[in-house]
């Protein structure tokens, strides 16, 4: 097969213009809203999930940290819907692009760090030097803690990119194997197809879990700085 394995990760274009912006703006249109006093089951379930997620992430925060609740809930909904839409055939997943994930991670991380330096500068600086550190190790530990702080947004973005990309590649490989074996051995094809269905279910779970992990880590960074 001459199909490019990474063709699905190339940013799509329409008449030579990048279509990634339109794809990124599409998931919010799928979130249903209600104009009625009594909601239907879908809206009620959606609101229950949002309240559950918000409560789970905001319990550990103080009043200042809870002002980020709307942003964090919007973030987890956006990443989850984007990941799930990327599992559809012939679709594009923006979260497989490291540049986009960095564009989400860096501003959120920077906002949390700046909030910490503005509100609790002593505690923020204390993270660079653990209590009881021997004097000869102080310069080295300050450098190490500074580097660990600076790589936090990179770790956020790479974790999300790697998990989503790996899952899509594995599904592509198993799907190609199923198609190739369909004309050779039917029992083997059924076994591989069953594995593909199980992997698809796993990828749905991974899409939701990675959205939760990304948002939870941002919430933890915020908690350390408020």
């Amino acid at each position: 097969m001459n199909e490019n394995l990474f063709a699905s990760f190339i940013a799509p274009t329409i008449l030579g213009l990048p279509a990634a912006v339109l794809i990124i703006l599409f998931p919010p249109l799928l979130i249903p809203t209600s104009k009625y006093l009594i909601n239907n089951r879908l809206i009620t379930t959606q609101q229950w999930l949002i309240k559950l997620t918000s409560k789970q992430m905001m319990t550990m925060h103080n009043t200042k940290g809870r002002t980020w609740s709307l942003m964090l809930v919007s973030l987890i909904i956006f990443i989850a819907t984007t990941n799930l839409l990327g599992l559809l055939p012939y679709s594009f997943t923006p979260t497989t692009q490291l540049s986009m994930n960095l564009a989400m991670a860096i501003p959120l991380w920077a906002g949390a760090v700046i909030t910490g330096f503005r509100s609790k500068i002593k505690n923020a600086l204390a993270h660079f030097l653990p209590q009881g550190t021997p004097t000869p190790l102080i310069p080295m530990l300050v450098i190490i803690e500074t580097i660990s702080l600076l790589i936090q947004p990179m770790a956020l973005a790479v974790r999300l990119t790697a998990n989503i990309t790996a899952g899509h590649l594995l599904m592509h490989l198993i799907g190609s194997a199923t198609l190739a074996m369909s004309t050779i051995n039917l029992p083997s094809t059924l076994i591989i197809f069953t594995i593909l269905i199980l992997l698809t279910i796993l990828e749905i779970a991974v899409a939701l879990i990675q959205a939760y992990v990304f948002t939870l880590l941002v919430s933890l960074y915020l908690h350390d700085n408020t």
Side-chain angles (χ1 to χ4, degrees):
M1 299 180 66
N2 296 324
E3 184 180 358
N4 186 0
L5 186 61
F6 297 94
S8 59
F9 303 113
I10 300 175
T13 57
I14 300 177
L15 299 176
L17 300 175
V21 176
L22 297 177
I23 296 174
I24 292 172
L25 295 176
F26 180 68
L29 300 178
L30 301 179
I31 306 299
T33 57
S34 176
K35 300 179 181 178
Y36 302 101
L37 182 62
I38 300 178
N39 297 326
N40 57 26
R41 292 183 179 87
L42 179 61
I43 301 295
T44 303
T45 304
Q46 172 188 304
Q47 292 178 349
W48 175 77
L49 288 173
I50 291 176
K51 289 180 181 179
L52 181 64
T53 305
S54 178
K55 182 179 179 181
Q56 179 74 20
M57 291 189 298
M58 293 292 111
T59 303
M60 58 184 173
H61 289 282
N62 55 21
T63 305
K64 190 177 184 63
R66 290 176 183 177
T67 58
W68 285 51
S69 58
L70 180 59
M71 181 182 298
L72 294 179
V73 171
S74 301
L75 178 66
I76 190 173
I77 292 175
F78 170 73
I79 297 177
T81 52
T82 302
N83 290 346
L84 291 175
L85 287 175
L87 296 175
L88 297 175
Y90 301 102
S91 60
F92 172 71
T93 313
T95 47
T96 57
Q97 305 296 312
L98 183 60
S99 57
M100 175 182 165
N101 295 335
L102 284 173
M104 292 190 296
I106 292 177
L108 293 170
W109 166 84
V113 172
I114 292 173
T115 301
F117 277 101
R118 290 184 60 186
S119 59
K120 299 192 305 182
I121 187 169
K122 291 184 179 180
N123 292 337
L125 293 176
H127 291 161
F128 292 96
L129 188 62
Q131 188 176 4
T133 303
T135 304
L137 296 179
I138 289 178
M140 182 182 299
L141 281 179
V142 170
I143 295 174
I144 293 174
E145 291 296 329
T146 302
I147 294 174
S148 66
L149 177 65
L150 294 177
I151 66 173
Q152 285 178 353
M154 178 63 72
L156 270 178
V158 170
R159 180 186 293 107
L160 179 59
T161 303
N163 281 281
I164 301 301
T165 302
H168 285 203
L169 286 175
L170 192 56
M171 289 179 62
H172 181 85
L173 291 173
I174 295 180
S176 300
T178 304
L179 184 61
M181 291 293 294
S182 61
T183 57
I184 301 175
N185 191 331
L186 184 59
S188 299
T189 303
L190 294 177
I191 294 175
I192 299 175
F193 184 69
T194 303
I195 296 175
L196 180 62
I197 293 176
L198 296 176
L199 180 61
T200 303
I201 297 174
L202 177 62
E203 282 304 306
I204 293 175
V206 169
L208 298 175
I209 291 172
Q210 288 304 316
Y212 178 75
V213 169
F214 188 96
T215 310
L216 181 62
L217 289 175
V218 173
S219 178
L220 290 175
Y221 296 155
L222 177 63
H223 174 66
D224 292 338
N225 291 278
T226 54

